[in-house]
Amino acid sequence: MANQCNILVTGGAGYIGSHTVLELLNNNFTVVVIDNLGNAYKDEKAEKPECIIRVEKLANKSVIFEECDITDENSIEKIFEKYKFECIIHFAALKAVGESCQKPLEYYKTNVGGTINLLNVMKKNNVKKLIYSSSATVYGVPEKLPLTEDMKTGNCTNPYGRTKYIVEEILKDLCASDPDWSVISLRYFNPVGAHPSGEIGEDPNGIPNNLMPFIAQVAVGKREMLHVYGNDYDTPDGTGVRDYIHIMDLASGHVKAIIYQKTKNIKGFKAVNLGTGKGFSVLQMIKAFELASSKTIPYKIVERRPGDISSSYADASLANKELNWVSTKNIDDMCKDTWNWQKKYPQGFKSGSIQ
């Protein structure tokens, strides 16, 4: 007989996944994490990735970890044979906008194909509750701001955004075909920050694709300077404006979504924005980080990147109304916690075991 576990977290050794797993443990859920370790550090002598070992120490609880790639349906099958789940949180995906323009097939294979594999196995095992890790990129170029969940999706500017949009459409069709499915698609804006302990944070492989880890690596001396992509956008200072959300606020949104799904017996497909409702430009983020770290961040203005838009920020009132969720942390918390993590572990998880 399969072991009873509440939650399966795909991609649970990634940045958002690991912080969410910690929140789940703190809320007394039992968790199984699957991950292909494509973006997670694991010591060859260890049974689990370093971030999961640290999550266990912070929560003082254990996590079941299984190495598994969602592009392999058979390996997902084996997980479902071994454990019994109430709900799936699906993070496993490739997530860099720029890279998706260079490697579209890989993005479609993992993000769309991998999700179809997962849904097939869920359907076979009659597990029909899903929290999907979506993105504000599904809105494409905003018609107006702030972005609300009822706005048009699909006018995406890059393959990454399109994969998230396509999966949302698949999920809508699935829910329309079978009223037992319950899917909450959380559309994140820009997750940043780290756990306040500084023990877990964002640890990208190779060159970071996102602004905050890049700034942090420049501040700690790991990189020489930051490239700012474009200063001719229609924004107050010409640099791109984004809605940055603290990773701990984002993680708590997933726990709230699970509780909401269960207690209100939600059926069908529901999209919910997770953001702060405020936008900050790249130059404002640099300035805030300089204040938090007492470091100067050298930067150079370079050409715009393909697939980038000028501004994006959320209307997060639906999350407040339905999930009883609100963001609690500001830009200073985001910068302070990122710097705390980066300074403590300049090489990320490879820096060694928990201090």
Side-chain angles (χ1 to χ4, degrees), residues 136-137 140-142 147 157 233 240-242 305 307-312:
T137 54
V141 179
L147 288 157
T157 59
Y233 285 108
V241 167
R242 296 290 180 272
R305 272 185 312 200
D308 275 348
I309 57 173
S310 68
S311 295
S312 170

Side-chain angles (χ1 to χ4, degrees), residues 150-210:
D150 56 1
M151 284 182 183
K152 206 168 118 240
T153 58
N155 183 24
C156 304
T157 59
N158 54 74
Y160 166 72
R162 270 189 286 279
T163 65
K164 291 292 179 182
Y165 165 72
I166 290 165
V167 169
E168 281 201 356
E169 293 301 298
I170 290 167
L171 293 169
K172 286 177 195 171
D173 290 341
L174 184 58
C175 290
S177 74
D178 178 351
D180 285 341
W181 280 87
S182 171
V183 175
I184 298 177
S185 185
L186 297 176
R187 292 175 179 164
Y188 317 149
F189 281 68
N190 289 62
V192 294
H195 189 264
S197 66
E199 295 301 342
I200 57 170
E202 189 167 9
D203 183 23
N205 274 348
I207 298 169
N209 290 295
N210 298 329

Side-chain angles (χ1 to χ4, degrees), residues 55-279:
V55 162
E56 290 179 322
K57 285 185 180 164
L58 289 167
N60 200 20
K61 288 178 183 163
S62 66
V63 175
I64 298 161
F65 175 76
E66 301 270 2
E67 196 169 336
C68 169
D69 193 313
I70 58 162
T71 60
D72 177 1
E73 193 172 326
N74 289 337
S75 72
I76 307 173
E77 274 277 18
K78 290 187 181 115
I79 303 295
F80 277 73
E81 282 163 17
K82 212 165 163 184
Y83 309 100
K84 196 169 163 48
F85 304 111
E86 285 174 36
C87 175
I88 315 299
I89 303 182
H90 179 35
F91 293 112
L94 299 172
K95 60 166 193 163
V97 167
E99 184 185 62
S100 75
C101 297
Q102 291 146 13
K103 301 177 176 176
L105 290 180
E106 285 181 38
Y107 273 68
Y108 286 108
K109 181 183 175 184
T110 301
N111 298 8
V112 180
T115 303
I116 290 170
N117 291 342
L118 176 67
L119 294 170
N120 278 333
V121 177
M122 286 175 70
K123 187 180 175 199
K124 220 178 279 181
N125 288 273
N126 202 32
V127 179
K128 294 182 178 179
K129 282 185 181 166
L130 178 73
I131 310 289
Y132 176 58
S133 167
S134 190
S135 162
T137 54
V138 298
Y139 295 112
V141 179
E143 289 166 4
K144 60 182 199 283
L145 292 168
L147 288 157
T148 53
E149 290 83 353
D150 56 1
M151 284 182 183
K152 206 168 118 240
T153 58
N155 183 24
C156 304
T157 59
N158 54 74
Y160 166 72
R162 270 189 286 279
T163 65
K164 291 292 179 182
Y165 165 72
I166 290 165
V167 169
E168 281 201 356
E169 293 301 298
I170 290 167
L171 293 169
K172 286 177 195 171
D173 290 341
L174 184 58
C175 290
S177 74
D178 178 351
D180 285 341
W181 280 87
S182 171
V183 175
I184 298 177
S185 185
L186 297 176
R187 292 175 179 164
Y188 317 149
F189 281 68
N190 289 62
V192 294
H195 189 264
S197 66
E199 295 301 342
I200 57 170
E202 189 167 9
D203 183 23
N205 274 348
I207 298 169
N209 290 295
N210 298 329
L211 176 67
M212 190 68 115
F214 211 116
I215 292 178
Q217 290 189 6
V218 171
V220 87
K222 197 173 171 183
R223 304 206 176 269
E224 200 180 324
M225 73 162 53
L226 174 73
H227 285 166
V228 175
Y229 296 100
N231 65 345
D232 56 350
Y233 285 108
D234 183 16
T235 61
D237 63 21
T239 64
V241 167
R242 296 290 180 272
D243 185 340
Y244 295 93
I245 173 172
H246 196 293
I247 190 70
M248 296 314 297
D249 281 336
L250 193 64
S252 85
H254 293 79
V255 176
K256 296 267 191 186
I258 287 175
I259 293 165
Y260 167 74
Q261 193 180 43
K262 195 173 177 171
T263 53
K264 300 273 201 258
N265 194 26
I266 299 301
K267 297 290 184 202
F269 176 91
K270 190 176 200 71
V272 182
N273 287 339
L274 291 184
T276 64
K278 287 192 193 80

Side-chain angles (χ1 to χ4, degrees), residues 30-69:
T30 46
V31 180
V32 175
V33 166
I34 62 171
D35 202 291
N36 70 351
L37 302 177
N39 206 15
Y41 173 72
K42 179 175 169 287
D43 186 280
E44 50 198 34
K45 296 189 197 85
E47 282 179 21
K48 298 173 184 176
E50 180 65 26
C51 65
I52 297 297
I53 293 167
R54 294 190 189 191
V55 162
E56 290 179 322
K57 285 185 180 164
L58 289 167
N60 200 20
K61 288 178 183 163
S62 66
V63 175
I64 298 161
F65 175 76
E66 301 270 2
E67 196 169 336
C68 169
D69 193 313

